[in-house]
Amino acid sequence: IICIDAVAGPEGQHYWPKHYPYCGGAFQSPIDLKPGLLRFDPTLRPIEIQNYNLSPNEQLTLGNNGHSVQISLPSKMHISSLPQRYTAAQLHLHWGSSSRLTGSEHTVNSKQYAAEMHVVHFNSDKYPTMSIAVDKSDGLAVLGVLIEVRHYERGVATNDFSLADQKVQMPGFNIRQLLPARLDEYYRYDGSLTTPPCYPSVLWTVFRNHVTISRKQVLLN
Ligand code: SG5
Ligand code: ZN
C-alpha cells in the first residue's frame, strides 16, 4: 500500500482552523502524552472488547483514499467496558514517510512513533448511526495503538500492493491481534477528531504499550 499524507500546502494542517471552527480548539487531538504529569484514575476499568475475532468468511472492505487506508468493521464489534456501548465502525492508520518512520499522531514525552492505528467506535446506546454521533460530546470512542518498527527481519510473508481510490475485499481476521497484549494500561483523555472537522467528540484511549511491526510491513515510497 503506497500512500502519501498531505501535511503542507494550502490544504495543510496549519490552515485547518481557518476553514473548520473546531480545529485548534481546547479539545484538539492529538496531544503529547506526558506520563510523568498524569494522574492515576482508579475508577477506570481495563478495556474490554467483544467480537473482535472475525472469521475469514466475514469479508472486510479495505479502502484507500490516496493518503490513508481504512477497513470497515462489522457492527457486532464493540467496547463493553465503558458506561455505554461503543460500536466499531472502522479502523485506519496514520503513518509518515518510510525513511523517517515518524507518522504517529500522539507522542509520548515528544517521542513520535512510526505509525498509529485508530479503531473508531460510536456510542450506539445513545445514537443510531456514526454520522449522528460524530459531533456529539459523548459520541465517539477511539482506541489508539502506537506502532514501532523492528529493525530486523523475520520470515513474514507480506503482500505488497498499491491502490489509490480503490476498494478491495479481504477475509476477516482477529482484530484483537492488532492491539497490544495489555488492555488495562492506557492513557485516557477527552479530545477530538484529529482531522477536520475536528469535532470535540472523542473519548481517547491510547494504549501504553506499543506494537511492533517488521520493516517490510512499512510501505515504502
Ligand atoms: C482519518 O482520520 C480517517 C478518517 C477519520 C479521521 O482522516 O481517514 C481515513 O481513514 C481515510 C479513509 O476516517 C474516515 O474518513 C473513514 C471513512 O474520520 C473519522 O473516523 C470520522 C468519524 C479522524 O479520525 S481520528 O480522530 O480517529 N484520527
Ligand atoms: Zn485517526
Short mmCIF file of all heavy atoms in Angstrom, two decimals, residues 8-75:
data_model
loop_
_atom_site.label_atom_id
_atom_site.label_comp_id
_atom_site.label_asym_id
_atom_site.label_seq_id
_atom_site.Cartn_x
_atom_site.Cartn_y
_atom_site.Cartn_z
N ALA A 8 1.47 19.67 4.13
CA ALA A 8 1.86 21.04 3.81
C ALA A 8 0.92 21.61 2.74
O ALA A 8 0.01 20.93 2.29
CB ALA A 8 3.30 21.06 3.32
N GLY A 9 1.16 22.85 2.37
CA GLY A 9 0.35 23.45 1.31
C GLY A 9 -0.97 23.99 1.83
O GLY A 9 -1.28 23.87 3.01
N PRO A 10 -1.76 24.58 0.93
CA PRO A 10 -2.99 25.28 1.33
C PRO A 10 -4.06 24.37 1.92
O PRO A 10 -5.06 24.84 2.45
CB PRO A 10 -3.46 25.94 0.04
CG PRO A 10 -2.78 25.19 -1.05
CD PRO A 10 -1.51 24.66 -0.50
N GLU A 11 -3.89 23.07 1.83
CA GLU A 11 -4.81 22.14 2.46
C GLU A 11 -4.23 21.63 3.77
O GLU A 11 -4.83 20.80 4.44
CB GLU A 11 -5.07 20.94 1.54
CG GLU A 11 -5.47 21.35 0.15
CD GLU A 11 -6.86 20.86 -0.21
OE1 GLU A 11 -7.36 19.97 0.50
OE2 GLU A 11 -7.42 21.37 -1.18
N GLY A 12 -3.05 22.09 4.11
CA GLY A 12 -2.32 21.55 5.26
C GLY A 12 -2.92 21.95 6.59
O GLY A 12 -3.74 22.85 6.70
N GLN A 13 -2.42 21.27 7.61
CA GLN A 13 -2.88 21.40 8.98
C GLN A 13 -2.93 22.84 9.48
O GLN A 13 -3.82 23.23 10.21
CB GLN A 13 -1.87 20.62 9.83
CG GLN A 13 -2.46 19.96 11.02
CD GLN A 13 -1.56 18.83 11.49
OE1 GLN A 13 -0.40 18.71 11.11
NE2 GLN A 13 -2.09 17.98 12.32
N HIS A 14 -1.93 23.59 9.08
CA HIS A 14 -1.79 24.97 9.51
C HIS A 14 -3.03 25.78 9.16
O HIS A 14 -3.38 26.74 9.84
CB HIS A 14 -0.55 25.54 8.82
CG HIS A 14 -0.28 26.97 9.14
ND1 HIS A 14 0.16 27.38 10.37
CD2 HIS A 14 -0.42 28.10 8.39
CE1 HIS A 14 0.30 28.70 10.37
NE2 HIS A 14 -0.05 29.16 9.18
N TYR A 15 -3.71 25.41 8.07
CA TYR A 15 -4.86 26.17 7.59
C TYR A 15 -6.20 25.65 8.09
O TYR A 15 -7.23 26.26 7.82
CB TYR A 15 -4.86 26.19 6.05
CG TYR A 15 -3.71 26.97 5.49
CD1 TYR A 15 -2.49 26.35 5.26
CD2 TYR A 15 -3.84 28.34 5.23
CE1 TYR A 15 -1.40 27.07 4.77
CE2 TYR A 15 -2.76 29.07 4.74
CZ TYR A 15 -1.55 28.44 4.51
OH TYR A 15 -0.49 29.15 4.02
N TRP A 16 -6.17 24.51 8.81
CA TRP A 16 -7.45 23.93 9.23
C TRP A 16 -8.33 24.90 10.03
O TRP A 16 -9.53 25.03 9.75
CB TRP A 16 -7.24 22.64 10.04
CG TRP A 16 -6.72 21.49 9.24
CD1 TRP A 16 -6.57 21.42 7.88
CD2 TRP A 16 -6.30 20.23 9.77
NE1 TRP A 16 -6.07 20.18 7.54
CE2 TRP A 16 -5.89 19.44 8.67
CE3 TRP A 16 -6.23 19.69 11.05
CZ2 TRP A 16 -5.42 18.14 8.83
CZ3 TRP A 16 -5.76 18.39 11.21
CH2 TRP A 16 -5.36 17.63 10.10
N PRO A 17 -7.77 25.60 11.05
CA PRO A 17 -8.63 26.47 11.87
C PRO A 17 -9.34 27.54 11.05
O PRO A 17 -10.43 27.99 11.41
CB PRO A 17 -7.66 27.08 12.88
CG PRO A 17 -6.54 26.11 12.97
CD PRO A 17 -6.40 25.56 11.57
N LYS A 18 -8.74 27.93 9.96
CA LYS A 18 -9.34 28.95 9.10
C LYS A 18 -10.65 28.45 8.47
O LYS A 18 -11.58 29.21 8.28
CB LYS A 18 -8.32 29.27 8.00
CG LYS A 18 -8.42 30.67 7.43
CD LYS A 18 -7.26 30.92 6.49
CE LYS A 18 -7.79 31.55 5.19
NZ LYS A 18 -6.70 31.78 4.25
N HIS A 19 -10.66 27.17 8.15
CA HIS A 19 -11.82 26.62 7.45
C HIS A 19 -12.76 25.83 8.35
O HIS A 19 -13.91 25.63 8.02
CB HIS A 19 -11.35 25.73 6.30
CG HIS A 19 -10.45 26.42 5.33
ND1 HIS A 19 -10.93 27.37 4.45
CD2 HIS A 19 -9.11 26.34 5.13
CE1 HIS A 19 -9.90 27.83 3.73
NE2 HIS A 19 -8.80 27.23 4.13
N TYR A 20 -12.23 25.33 9.47
CA TYR A 20 -13.03 24.48 10.36
C TYR A 20 -12.95 25.05 11.76
O TYR A 20 -11.92 24.97 12.42
CB TYR A 20 -12.49 23.04 10.35
CG TYR A 20 -12.45 22.42 8.97
CD1 TYR A 20 -11.29 22.48 8.21
CD2 TYR A 20 -13.58 21.79 8.46
CE1 TYR A 20 -11.25 21.91 6.94
CE2 TYR A 20 -13.54 21.22 7.20
CZ TYR A 20 -12.39 21.29 6.45
OH TYR A 20 -12.34 20.73 5.20
N PRO A 21 -14.05 25.64 12.24
CA PRO A 21 -14.02 26.35 13.53
C PRO A 21 -13.54 25.51 14.71
O PRO A 21 -12.95 26.05 15.64
CB PRO A 21 -15.46 26.81 13.71
CG PRO A 21 -16.27 26.10 12.68
CD PRO A 21 -15.34 25.71 11.58
N TYR A 22 -13.81 24.20 14.70
CA TYR A 22 -13.39 23.39 15.85
C TYR A 22 -11.89 23.09 15.85
O TYR A 22 -11.32 22.76 16.88
CB TYR A 22 -14.16 22.07 15.90
CG TYR A 22 -15.58 22.22 16.39
CD1 TYR A 22 -16.65 22.04 15.53
CD2 TYR A 22 -15.84 22.52 17.73
CE1 TYR A 22 -17.96 22.17 15.98
CE2 TYR A 22 -17.14 22.66 18.19
CZ TYR A 22 -18.19 22.48 17.31
OH TYR A 22 -19.48 22.60 17.76
N CYS A 23 -11.25 23.17 14.69
CA CYS A 23 -9.84 22.77 14.64
C CYS A 23 -8.99 23.78 15.42
O CYS A 23 -9.17 24.99 15.30
CB CYS A 23 -9.36 22.65 13.20
SG CYS A 23 -10.11 21.25 12.33
N GLY A 24 -8.08 23.26 16.22
CA GLY A 24 -7.22 24.11 17.03
C GLY A 24 -7.88 24.54 18.34
O GLY A 24 -7.34 25.35 19.08
N GLY A 25 -9.03 23.95 18.65
CA GLY A 25 -9.74 24.30 19.88
C GLY A 25 -9.18 23.60 21.10
O GLY A 25 -8.18 22.88 21.02
N ALA A 26 -9.86 23.81 22.24
CA ALA A 26 -9.36 23.32 23.52
C ALA A 26 -9.25 21.79 23.59
O ALA A 26 -8.46 21.26 24.36
CB ALA A 26 -10.25 23.82 24.64
N PHE A 27 -10.07 21.09 22.81
CA PHE A 27 -10.06 19.63 22.88
C PHE A 27 -9.26 18.99 21.75
O PHE A 27 -9.35 17.79 21.52
CB PHE A 27 -11.50 19.10 22.85
CG PHE A 27 -12.24 19.37 24.13
CD1 PHE A 27 -12.98 20.53 24.29
CD2 PHE A 27 -12.18 18.47 25.18
CE1 PHE A 27 -13.67 20.78 25.48
CE2 PHE A 27 -12.86 18.70 26.37
CZ PHE A 27 -13.61 19.86 26.52
N GLN A 28 -8.50 19.81 21.02
CA GLN A 28 -7.87 19.28 19.81
C GLN A 28 -6.92 18.11 20.09
O GLN A 28 -6.04 18.19 20.93
CB GLN A 28 -7.10 20.39 19.08
CG GLN A 28 -6.49 19.94 17.75
CD GLN A 28 -7.54 19.54 16.72
OE1 GLN A 28 -8.48 20.28 16.48
NE2 GLN A 28 -7.41 18.35 16.15
N SER A 29 -7.13 17.05 19.36
CA SER A 29 -6.23 15.90 19.35
C SER A 29 -5.43 15.93 18.05
O SER A 29 -5.90 16.50 17.07
CB SER A 29 -7.05 14.60 19.40
OG SER A 29 -7.73 14.50 20.63
N PRO A 30 -4.26 15.33 17.98
CA PRO A 30 -3.63 14.55 19.05
C PRO A 30 -2.93 15.46 20.07
O PRO A 30 -2.89 16.69 19.88
CB PRO A 30 -2.61 13.71 18.29
CG PRO A 30 -2.19 14.62 17.16
CD PRO A 30 -3.45 15.34 16.77
N ILE A 31 -2.37 14.84 21.11
CA ILE A 31 -1.60 15.59 22.12
C ILE A 31 -0.30 14.83 22.40
O ILE A 31 -0.14 13.68 22.00
CB ILE A 31 -2.39 15.74 23.44
CG1 ILE A 31 -2.78 14.37 24.02
CG2 ILE A 31 -3.63 16.61 23.24
CD1 ILE A 31 -3.34 14.43 25.43
N ASP A 32 0.60 15.53 23.07
CA ASP A 32 1.80 14.88 23.59
C ASP A 32 1.44 14.29 24.95
O ASP A 32 1.04 15.03 25.85
CB ASP A 32 2.94 15.89 23.71
CG ASP A 32 4.23 15.25 24.19
OD1 ASP A 32 4.50 14.08 23.83
OD2 ASP A 32 4.97 15.92 24.95
N LEU A 33 1.56 12.99 25.10
CA LEU A 33 1.25 12.33 26.37
C LEU A 33 2.49 12.38 27.24
O LEU A 33 3.58 12.02 26.80
CB LEU A 33 0.83 10.88 26.09
CG LEU A 33 -0.39 10.76 25.18
CD1 LEU A 33 -0.48 9.38 24.55
CD2 LEU A 33 -1.67 11.10 25.93
N LYS A 34 2.30 12.88 28.47
CA LYS A 34 3.44 13.03 29.37
C LYS A 34 3.19 12.19 30.61
O LYS A 34 2.56 12.66 31.57
CB LYS A 34 3.59 14.51 29.76
CG LYS A 34 3.95 15.42 28.57
CD LYS A 34 4.12 16.86 29.05
CE LYS A 34 4.76 17.75 28.01
NZ LYS A 34 3.99 17.85 26.77
N PRO A 35 3.68 10.94 30.59
CA PRO A 35 3.38 10.02 31.69
C PRO A 35 3.69 10.60 33.07
O PRO A 35 2.93 10.39 34.02
CB PRO A 35 4.27 8.80 31.39
CG PRO A 35 4.46 8.85 29.91
CD PRO A 35 4.46 10.31 29.53
N GLY A 36 4.76 11.37 33.17
CA GLY A 36 5.13 11.93 34.47
C GLY A 36 4.15 12.95 35.02
O GLY A 36 4.14 13.23 36.21
N LEU A 37 3.33 13.51 34.16
CA LEU A 37 2.39 14.53 34.60
C LEU A 37 0.98 13.99 34.76
O LEU A 37 0.05 14.73 35.08
CB LEU A 37 2.37 15.69 33.60
CG LEU A 37 3.67 16.48 33.44
CD1 LEU A 37 3.48 17.60 32.42
CD2 LEU A 37 4.10 17.05 34.78
N LEU A 38 0.82 12.70 34.51
CA LEU A 38 -0.55 12.16 34.54
C LEU A 38 -0.97 11.74 35.93
O LEU A 38 -0.16 11.50 36.81
CB LEU A 38 -0.64 10.96 33.58
CG LEU A 38 -0.39 11.31 32.12
CD1 LEU A 38 -0.56 10.07 31.25
CD2 LEU A 38 -1.32 12.41 31.66
N ARG A 39 -2.26 11.66 36.09
CA ARG A 39 -2.86 11.27 37.36
C ARG A 39 -3.49 9.89 37.14
O ARG A 39 -4.18 9.66 36.16
CB ARG A 39 -3.94 12.30 37.70
CG ARG A 39 -4.59 12.17 39.03
CD ARG A 39 -5.47 13.42 39.31
NE ARG A 39 -6.24 13.85 38.15
CZ ARG A 39 -7.41 13.32 37.80
NH1 ARG A 39 -7.94 12.34 38.48
NH2 ARG A 39 -8.06 13.78 36.73
N PHE A 40 -3.24 8.98 38.08
CA PHE A 40 -3.86 7.66 38.00
C PHE A 40 -5.32 7.76 38.39
O PHE A 40 -5.65 8.34 39.42
CB PHE A 40 -3.14 6.68 38.94
CG PHE A 40 -3.79 5.33 38.99
CD1 PHE A 40 -3.75 4.48 37.89
CD2 PHE A 40 -4.47 4.92 40.13
CE1 PHE A 40 -4.36 3.23 37.92
CE2 PHE A 40 -5.10 3.66 40.17
CZ PHE A 40 -5.04 2.83 39.07
N ASP A 41 -6.20 7.25 37.58
CA ASP A 41 -7.63 7.30 37.86
C ASP A 41 -8.13 5.90 38.21
O ASP A 41 -8.30 5.06 37.34
CB ASP A 41 -8.37 7.84 36.64
CG ASP A 41 -9.86 7.97 36.89
OD1 ASP A 41 -10.36 7.40 37.89
OD2 ASP A 41 -10.53 8.64 36.08
N PRO A 42 -8.35 5.66 39.53
CA PRO A 42 -8.73 4.30 39.95
C PRO A 42 -10.12 3.90 39.50
O PRO A 42 -10.50 2.73 39.62
CB PRO A 42 -8.65 4.37 41.49
CG PRO A 42 -8.83 5.81 41.82
CD PRO A 42 -8.28 6.60 40.66
N THR A 43 -10.90 4.83 38.96
CA THR A 43 -12.24 4.46 38.51
C THR A 43 -12.23 3.86 37.10
O THR A 43 -13.23 3.31 36.65
CB THR A 43 -13.20 5.68 38.51
OG1 THR A 43 -12.79 6.59 37.48
CG2 THR A 43 -13.18 6.39 39.87
N LEU A 44 -11.10 3.98 36.41
CA LEU A 44 -11.06 3.45 35.04
C LEU A 44 -10.94 1.93 35.06
O LEU A 44 -10.20 1.36 35.87
CB LEU A 44 -9.88 4.05 34.26
CG LEU A 44 -9.94 5.55 33.99
CD1 LEU A 44 -8.68 6.01 33.28
CD2 LEU A 44 -11.18 5.90 33.18
N ARG A 45 -11.63 1.28 34.14
CA ARG A 45 -11.58 -0.18 34.04
C ARG A 45 -10.69 -0.59 32.86
O ARG A 45 -10.53 0.18 31.92
CB ARG A 45 -12.99 -0.73 33.77
CG ARG A 45 -13.98 -0.46 34.89
CD ARG A 45 -15.40 -0.84 34.46
NE ARG A 45 -15.49 -2.21 33.95
CZ ARG A 45 -16.57 -2.70 33.34
NH1 ARG A 45 -17.63 -1.95 33.13
NH2 ARG A 45 -16.57 -3.96 32.91
N PRO A 46 -10.17 -1.81 32.91
CA PRO A 46 -9.46 -2.30 31.72
C PRO A 46 -10.40 -2.25 30.51
O PRO A 46 -11.62 -2.41 30.67
CB PRO A 46 -9.13 -3.76 32.06
CG PRO A 46 -9.16 -3.82 33.55
CD PRO A 46 -10.18 -2.81 33.99
N ILE A 47 -9.84 -2.02 29.34
CA ILE A 47 -10.66 -2.03 28.12
C ILE A 47 -11.11 -3.45 27.84
O ILE A 47 -10.30 -4.39 27.86
CB ILE A 47 -9.85 -1.50 26.92
CG1 ILE A 47 -9.48 -0.03 27.12
CG2 ILE A 47 -10.63 -1.69 25.61
CD1 ILE A 47 -10.64 0.94 27.14
N GLU A 48 -12.41 -3.60 27.64
CA GLU A 48 -12.95 -4.90 27.24
C GLU A 48 -13.60 -4.74 25.87
O GLU A 48 -14.40 -3.84 25.67
CB GLU A 48 -13.98 -5.41 28.25
CG GLU A 48 -13.33 -5.95 29.51
CD GLU A 48 -14.31 -6.09 30.67
OE1 GLU A 48 -15.52 -6.28 30.42
OE2 GLU A 48 -13.85 -6.00 31.82
N ILE A 49 -13.21 -5.65 24.98
CA ILE A 49 -13.75 -5.59 23.62
C ILE A 49 -14.47 -6.90 23.32
O ILE A 49 -14.10 -7.96 23.86
CB ILE A 49 -12.62 -5.36 22.59
CG1 ILE A 49 -11.48 -6.36 22.82
CG2 ILE A 49 -12.12 -3.92 22.67
CD1 ILE A 49 -10.40 -6.30 21.79
N GLN A 50 -15.48 -6.82 22.48
CA GLN A 50 -16.27 -8.02 22.15
C GLN A 50 -16.29 -8.22 20.64
O GLN A 50 -16.37 -7.25 19.88
CB GLN A 50 -17.72 -7.86 22.65
CG GLN A 50 -17.85 -7.50 24.12
CD GLN A 50 -17.24 -8.52 25.06
OE1 GLN A 50 -17.24 -9.73 24.77
NE2 GLN A 50 -16.68 -8.06 26.17
N ASN A 51 -16.27 -9.49 20.26
CA ASN A 51 -16.44 -9.91 18.86
C ASN A 51 -15.39 -9.34 17.91
O ASN A 51 -15.68 -9.12 16.73
CB ASN A 51 -17.85 -9.55 18.35
CG ASN A 51 -18.92 -10.16 19.22
OD1 ASN A 51 -18.74 -11.26 19.76
ND2 ASN A 51 -20.02 -9.46 19.40
N TYR A 52 -14.20 -9.10 18.43
CA TYR A 52 -13.10 -8.66 17.56
C TYR A 52 -12.53 -9.82 16.74
O TYR A 52 -11.80 -9.60 15.79
CB TYR A 52 -11.98 -8.05 18.42
CG TYR A 52 -12.02 -6.54 18.57
CD1 TYR A 52 -13.20 -5.87 18.89
CD2 TYR A 52 -10.86 -5.79 18.38
CE1 TYR A 52 -13.21 -4.49 19.03
CE2 TYR A 52 -10.86 -4.41 18.52
CZ TYR A 52 -12.04 -3.76 18.85
OH TYR A 52 -12.03 -2.40 18.99
N ASN A 53 -12.83 -11.05 17.16
CA ASN A 53 -12.26 -12.21 16.45
C ASN A 53 -13.13 -12.57 15.25
O ASN A 53 -14.03 -13.38 15.34
CB ASN A 53 -12.13 -13.39 17.42
CG ASN A 53 -11.27 -14.50 16.83
OD1 ASN A 53 -10.79 -14.39 15.70
ND2 ASN A 53 -11.09 -15.56 17.58
N LEU A 54 -12.84 -11.96 14.12
CA LEU A 54 -13.66 -12.15 12.93
C LEU A 54 -13.23 -13.42 12.20
O LEU A 54 -12.05 -13.77 12.20
CB LEU A 54 -13.54 -10.94 12.01
CG LEU A 54 -13.89 -9.60 12.66
CD1 LEU A 54 -13.67 -8.46 11.67
CD2 LEU A 54 -15.33 -9.59 13.18
N SER A 55 -14.17 -14.06 11.58
CA SER A 55 -13.82 -15.28 10.84
C SER A 55 -13.48 -14.93 9.40
O SER A 55 -13.92 -13.90 8.88
CB SER A 55 -14.97 -16.28 10.92
OG SER A 55 -15.86 -16.03 9.85
N PRO A 56 -12.68 -15.78 8.75
CA PRO A 56 -12.24 -15.49 7.38
C PRO A 56 -13.39 -15.36 6.39
O PRO A 56 -13.24 -14.72 5.36
CB PRO A 56 -11.37 -16.70 7.01
CG PRO A 56 -11.04 -17.36 8.30
CD PRO A 56 -12.12 -17.02 9.28
N ASN A 57 -14.54 -15.93 6.71
CA ASN A 57 -15.64 -15.78 5.75
C ASN A 57 -16.43 -14.48 5.93
O ASN A 57 -17.36 -14.21 5.18
CB ASN A 57 -16.56 -17.02 5.72
CG ASN A 57 -17.07 -17.38 7.10
OD1 ASN A 57 -17.40 -16.48 7.89
ND2 ASN A 57 -17.13 -18.65 7.40
N GLU A 58 -16.03 -13.68 6.92
CA GLU A 58 -16.62 -12.34 7.01
C GLU A 58 -15.72 -11.40 6.20
O GLU A 58 -14.60 -11.11 6.60
CB GLU A 58 -16.66 -11.86 8.47
CG GLU A 58 -17.59 -12.69 9.33
CD GLU A 58 -17.51 -12.28 10.80
OE1 GLU A 58 -18.26 -11.40 11.21
OE2 GLU A 58 -16.69 -12.87 11.52
N GLN A 59 -16.21 -10.93 5.09
CA GLN A 59 -15.39 -10.09 4.21
C GLN A 59 -15.30 -8.68 4.77
O GLN A 59 -16.29 -8.09 5.17
CB GLN A 59 -16.02 -10.04 2.82
CG GLN A 59 -15.90 -11.36 2.05
CD GLN A 59 -14.48 -11.67 1.65
OE1 GLN A 59 -13.80 -10.86 1.02
NE2 GLN A 59 -13.99 -12.85 2.02
N LEU A 60 -14.09 -8.17 4.77
CA LEU A 60 -13.88 -6.78 5.18
C LEU A 60 -13.54 -5.96 3.94
O LEU A 60 -12.90 -6.46 3.03
CB LEU A 60 -12.71 -6.70 6.16
CG LEU A 60 -12.87 -7.47 7.47
CD1 LEU A 60 -11.59 -7.44 8.27
CD2 LEU A 60 -14.03 -6.89 8.27
N THR A 61 -13.97 -4.71 3.95
CA THR A 61 -13.65 -3.84 2.81
C THR A 61 -12.54 -2.90 3.22
O THR A 61 -12.65 -2.17 4.20
CB THR A 61 -14.89 -3.04 2.38
OG1 THR A 61 -15.93 -3.96 2.09
CG2 THR A 61 -14.59 -2.20 1.15
N LEU A 62 -11.45 -2.97 2.47
CA LEU A 62 -10.31 -2.11 2.72
C LEU A 62 -10.33 -1.01 1.67
O LEU A 62 -10.41 -1.28 0.48
CB LEU A 62 -9.05 -2.97 2.62
CG LEU A 62 -7.71 -2.36 3.00
CD1 LEU A 62 -6.81 -3.45 3.58
CD2 LEU A 62 -7.04 -1.77 1.79
N GLY A 63 -10.31 0.23 2.13
CA GLY A 63 -10.38 1.35 1.20
C GLY A 63 -9.18 2.25 1.36
O GLY A 63 -8.58 2.32 2.43
N ASN A 64 -8.81 2.90 0.30
CA ASN A 64 -7.65 3.78 0.33
C ASN A 64 -8.00 5.04 -0.43
O ASN A 64 -8.39 4.97 -1.58
CB ASN A 64 -6.47 3.06 -0.33
CG ASN A 64 -5.21 3.88 -0.30
OD1 ASN A 64 -5.26 5.10 -0.36
ND2 ASN A 64 -4.09 3.22 -0.22
N ASN A 65 -7.87 6.17 0.24
CA ASN A 65 -8.23 7.42 -0.43
C ASN A 65 -7.02 8.15 -0.97
O ASN A 65 -7.09 9.31 -1.30
CB ASN A 65 -9.02 8.31 0.52
CG ASN A 65 -8.17 8.84 1.65
OD1 ASN A 65 -6.98 8.52 1.74
ND2 ASN A 65 -8.76 9.63 2.52
N GLY A 66 -5.88 7.49 -1.00
CA GLY A 66 -4.67 8.12 -1.54
C GLY A 66 -3.76 8.60 -0.44
O GLY A 66 -2.56 8.66 -0.62
N HIS A 67 -4.29 8.94 0.74
CA HIS A 67 -3.38 9.28 1.83
C HIS A 67 -3.67 8.61 3.15
O HIS A 67 -3.07 8.92 4.16
CB HIS A 67 -3.19 10.79 1.99
CG HIS A 67 -4.42 11.61 1.99
ND1 HIS A 67 -4.84 12.27 3.09
CD2 HIS A 67 -5.31 11.88 1.02
CE1 HIS A 67 -5.95 12.92 2.79
NE2 HIS A 67 -6.25 12.69 1.55
N SER A 68 -4.57 7.67 3.14
CA SER A 68 -4.77 6.88 4.34
C SER A 68 -5.41 5.58 3.90
O SER A 68 -5.84 5.43 2.77
CB SER A 68 -5.66 7.62 5.32
OG SER A 68 -5.69 6.93 6.55
N VAL A 69 -5.44 4.64 4.82
CA VAL A 69 -6.08 3.38 4.49
C VAL A 69 -7.03 3.05 5.62
O VAL A 69 -6.74 3.33 6.79
CB VAL A 69 -5.03 2.28 4.26
CG1 VAL A 69 -4.20 2.03 5.50
CG2 VAL A 69 -5.67 0.98 3.80
N GLN A 70 -8.19 2.53 5.29
CA GLN A 70 -9.15 2.19 6.33
C GLN A 70 -9.86 0.89 6.03
O GLN A 70 -10.01 0.51 4.88
CB GLN A 70 -10.13 3.34 6.56
CG GLN A 70 -11.06 3.64 5.43
CD GLN A 70 -12.51 3.39 5.78
OE1 GLN A 70 -12.88 3.30 6.94
NE2 GLN A 70 -13.34 3.25 4.75
N ILE A 71 -10.30 0.23 7.09
CA ILE A 71 -11.05 -1.02 6.97
C ILE A 71 -12.38 -0.84 7.68
O ILE A 71 -12.41 -0.44 8.85
CB ILE A 71 -10.27 -2.20 7.63
CG1 ILE A 71 -8.93 -2.41 6.94
CG2 ILE A 71 -11.10 -3.47 7.61
CD1 ILE A 71 -8.07 -3.50 7.59
N SER A 72 -13.46 -1.10 6.99
CA SER A 72 -14.79 -1.03 7.62
C SER A 72 -14.99 -2.25 8.51
O SER A 72 -14.61 -3.36 8.14
CB SER A 72 -15.88 -1.03 6.55
OG SER A 72 -15.62 -0.01 5.64
N LEU A 73 -15.58 -2.04 9.68
CA LEU A 73 -15.72 -3.12 10.65
C LEU A 73 -17.18 -3.46 10.87
O LEU A 73 -18.04 -2.57 10.82
CB LEU A 73 -15.05 -2.72 11.97
CG LEU A 73 -13.55 -2.43 11.88
CD1 LEU A 73 -13.03 -1.84 13.18
CD2 LEU A 73 -12.78 -3.70 11.51
N PRO A 74 -17.49 -4.73 11.16
CA PRO A 74 -18.88 -5.13 11.41
C PRO A 74 -19.38 -4.60 12.76
O PRO A 74 -18.62 -4.49 13.72
CB PRO A 74 -18.81 -6.66 11.40
CG PRO A 74 -17.40 -7.01 11.66
CD PRO A 74 -16.56 -5.87 11.17
N SER A 75 -20.67 -4.32 12.82
CA SER A 75 -21.23 -3.65 14.00
C SER A 75 -21.36 -4.56 15.22
O SER A 75 -21.68 -4.09 16.30
CB SER A 75 -22.59 -3.04 13.65
OG SER A 75 -23.45 -4.07 13.23
#
